[in-house]
């Protein structure tokens, strides 16, 4: 069965659709209004340092952080490398087709997937190969260890040789009839490939695809296939040997990737990624209620409803602060230990559509209008 789209449609829309299907009739349903922003006297300083235009951003896009560059891909097929310090375009190449996923890069090779299901790999400003895939892809490719790893919407995994495009191995998905059409979990931990497959985290040998470990992150529940959707959604969060991920609308779970042992799991409905640092794990539920847990134990440190229904992004951990983007283009900087609002930064008034990233002290946000904003503390 085809995947079910779920990217940022919100739990209220999801529930409305479910109710309409259950009753076999349509009814009006009003999404809750965003919580009004409280007056805020900044307690720390920060400012916009540059702005660039990207073009129409990908749905579920990702940003690669590569030394002194940010790399992004626009829906029309352009891969752009921006100088972290100034925002100047360092390189740009077009693959000549609209994209469904991207971009992943190891600093030399970059990979994207087109809407025609073609995986395209470029070296600098030169295309080196492309190959057709068997399934749609919305998760950014992972380029590492001279390989390109692809996670399809059906959550199957395929590995290719980065230099010549040879297909090296495939790991399929079986069991669940549905999967989410939103970015999943695909990341490297030392010499292991970590992959979300349904509600499980698989540890694979990146050379052969052989299974090294299989950890359950959530127990699917419900009476039908839609209610039982529990795919792990990206971005996952990693700090040292601890990797945390969200099972769609069910739980937040943390794993010791060195020992392949689940550390803790806490119920929280939601569909955006997480943030992690040496002490805390943070995320927002489907109504944008924010929770922060202790990384070691999973104990709740604080919760906040100040930003409910504001369409929050996955958070970003920056020093002693936690940053969320919202659907009106604001960046909200909160204290990590108490959730106290510290600073609010504007963009262009359109939604923040990509997970926030940073390099050193420079933080990057991408808006639905296709603008890229870089901020730094003062």
């Amino acid at each position: 069965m085809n995947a079910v789209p779920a990217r940022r449609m919100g739990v209220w829309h999801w529930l409305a659709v479910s109710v309409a299907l259950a009753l076999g009739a349509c009814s009006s349903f009003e999404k809750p209004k965003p919580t009004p922003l409280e007056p805020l006297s900044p307690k720390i300083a920060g400012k916009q340092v540059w702005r660039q235009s990207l073009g129409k951003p990908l749905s579920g896009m990702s940003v690669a952080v590569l030394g002194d560059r940010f790399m992004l891909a626009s829906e029309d097929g352009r891969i752009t490398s921006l100088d972290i310090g100034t925002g100047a375009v360092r390189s740009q190449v077009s693959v000549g087709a609209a994209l469904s996923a991207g971009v992943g890069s190891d600093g030399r090779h970059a990979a994207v997937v087109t809407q025609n299901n073609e995986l395209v790999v470029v070296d600098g400003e030169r295309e080196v190969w492309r190959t057709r895939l068997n399934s749609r892809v919305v998760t950014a490719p992972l380029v590492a260890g001279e390989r390109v790893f692809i996670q399809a919407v059906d959550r199957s995994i395929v590995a290719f040789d980065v230099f010549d495009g040879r297909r090296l191995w495939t790991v399929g998905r079986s069991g669940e009839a549905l999967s989410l059409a939103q970015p999943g979990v695909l990341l490297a931990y030392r010499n292991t490939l970590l992959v979300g497959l349904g509600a499980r985290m698989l540890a694979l040998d990146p050379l052969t695809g052989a299974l090294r470990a299989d950890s359950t992150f959530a127990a699917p529940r419900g009476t039908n296939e839609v209610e039982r959707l529990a795919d792990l959604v990206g971005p996952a969060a990693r700090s040292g040997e601890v990797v945390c991920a969200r099972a769609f609308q069910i739980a937040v779970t943390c794993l010791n990737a060195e020992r392949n042992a689940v550390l803790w799991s806490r119920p929280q409905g939601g569909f955006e990624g997480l943030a992690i640092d040496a002490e805390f794990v943070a995320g927002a539920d489907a109504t944008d209620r924010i929770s922060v847990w202790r990384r070691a134990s999973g104990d709740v440190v604080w919760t906040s409803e100040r930003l409910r229904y504001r369409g929050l992004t996955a958070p970003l951990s920056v020093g002693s602060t936690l940053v969320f983007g919202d659907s009106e283009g604001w960046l909200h900087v909160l204290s990590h230990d108490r959730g106290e609002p510290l600073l609010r930064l504007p963009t262009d008034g359109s939604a923040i559509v990509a997970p926030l990233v940073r390099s050193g002290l420079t933080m990057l946000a991408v808006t639905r209008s296709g603008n890229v904003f870089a901020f730094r503390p003062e």
Side-chain angles (χ1 to χ4, degrees):
M1 208 167 168
N2 291 333
V4 174
R7 184 65 175 173
R8 241 317 160 197
M9 65 181 180
V11 69
W12 299 105
H13 180 67
W14 179 266
L15 289 175
V17 171
S18 299
V19 169
L21 289 173
L23 297 178
C26 295
S27 60
S28 60
F29 190 92
E30 185 177 355
K31 180 181 176 180
K33 293 182 179 179
T35 299
L37 295 177
E38 303 171 354
L40 175 62
S41 298
K43 299 176 177 60
I44 59 174
K47 65 176 183 178
Q48 177 186 317
V49 291
W50 54 261
R51 170 177 175 168
Q52 264 287 5
S53 178
L54 173 68
K56 186 177 179 181
L58 286 168
S59 175
M61 74 175 297
S62 65
V63 179
V65 181
L66 306 166
D68 60 352
R69 294 173 294 145
F70 291 121
M71 185 175 285
L72 311 90
S74 55
E75 189 181 78
D76 64 6
R78 285 178 295 133
I79 302 171
T80 304
S81 176
L82 301 177
D83 186 279
I84 285 176
T86 66
V89 175
R90 298 273 292 273
S91 66
Q92 190 171 79
V93 60
S94 175
V95 302
L99 302 181
S100 66
V103 57
S105 177
D106 61 2
R108 175 182 172 182
H109 293 94
V112 294
V113 180
T114 73
Q115 293 180 13
N116 293 324
N117 291 349
E118 284 188 315
L119 168 62
V120 185
V121 173
V122 301
D123 182 350
E125 297 185 1
R126 177 178 63 92
E127 181 181 322
V128 289
W129 56 267
R130 66 174 62 200
T131 189
R132 185 163 294 280
L133 304 171
N134 296 326
S135 182
R136 182 175 173 230
V137 175
V138 295
T139 302
L142 173 66
V143 185
E146 300 184 349
R147 282 165 168 72
V148 182
F149 302 98
I150 296 298
Q151 182 184 59
V153 165
D154 64 8
R155 297 309 191 236
S156 60
I157 307 298
V158 188
F160 298 88
D161 185 289
V162 75
F163 295 107
D164 59 20
R166 285 182 298 120
R167 188 182 296 250
L168 302 174
W169 53 261
T170 301
V171 173
R173 173 189 174 123
S174 61
E176 298 89 348
L178 296 180
S179 58
L180 294 173
Q182 75 175 75
V185 171
L186 179 66
L187 73 158
Y189 173 75
R190 297 189 178 180
N191 66 340
T192 299
L193 181 67
L194 298 179
V195 176
L197 189 66
R200 297 144 51 211
M201 182 80 82
L202 305 188
L204 304 179
D205 184 330
L207 301 180
T208 65
L211 180 65
R212 291 177 173 171
D214 184 342
S215 304
T216 299
F217 268 44
R221 58 177 184 262
T223 59
N224 57 58
E225 293 170 353
V226 173
E227 291 176 351
R228 291 177 60 81
L229 279 170
D231 283 8
L232 301 190
V233 297
R238 178 192 165 193
S239 175
E241 74 281 2
V242 178
V243 175
C244 302
R246 179 188 300 283
F248 176 75
Q249 295 290 31
I250 294 181
V252 169
T253 302
C254 288
L255 173 82
N256 183 305
E258 192 67 31
R259 297 186 284 109
N260 290 303
V262 172
L263 299 174
W264 53 265
S265 186
R266 298 291 179 266
Q268 189 195 55
F271 41 83
E272 294 288 352
L274 308 169
I276 190 172
D277 67 7
E279 294 185 70
F280 306 113
V281 177
D285 70 11
T287 68
D288 297 318
R289 178 188 292 108
I290 300 170
S291 295
V292 171
W293 305 268
R294 295 204 180 278
R295 194 187 87 165
S297 64
D299 293 338
V300 175
V301 180
W302 57 266
T303 62
S304 174
E305 298 191 358
R306 284 191 176 99
L307 302 176
R308 287 191 78 185
Y309 313 117
R310 294 199 61 83
L312 298 183
T313 65
L316 177 68
S317 182
V318 183
S320 60
T321 68
L322 194 63
V323 186
F324 288 86
D326 76 10
S327 61
E328 295 179 347
W330 290 99
L331 298 184
H332 304 273
V333 184
L334 314 176
S335 66
H336 220 329
D337 57 348
R338 293 186 298 168
E340 178 187 10
L342 302 176
L343 181 66
R344 189 180 298 144
L345 296 165
T347 57
D348 59 16
S350 64
I352 308 297
V353 294
L356 304 172
V357 298
R358 70 181 179 96
S359 177
L361 296 177
T362 302
M363 179 174 60
L364 197 78
V366 182
T367 70
R368 181 167 291 143
S369 296
N371 294 310
V372 183
F373 295 84
F375 299 90
R376 290 194 200 112
E378 292 183 294

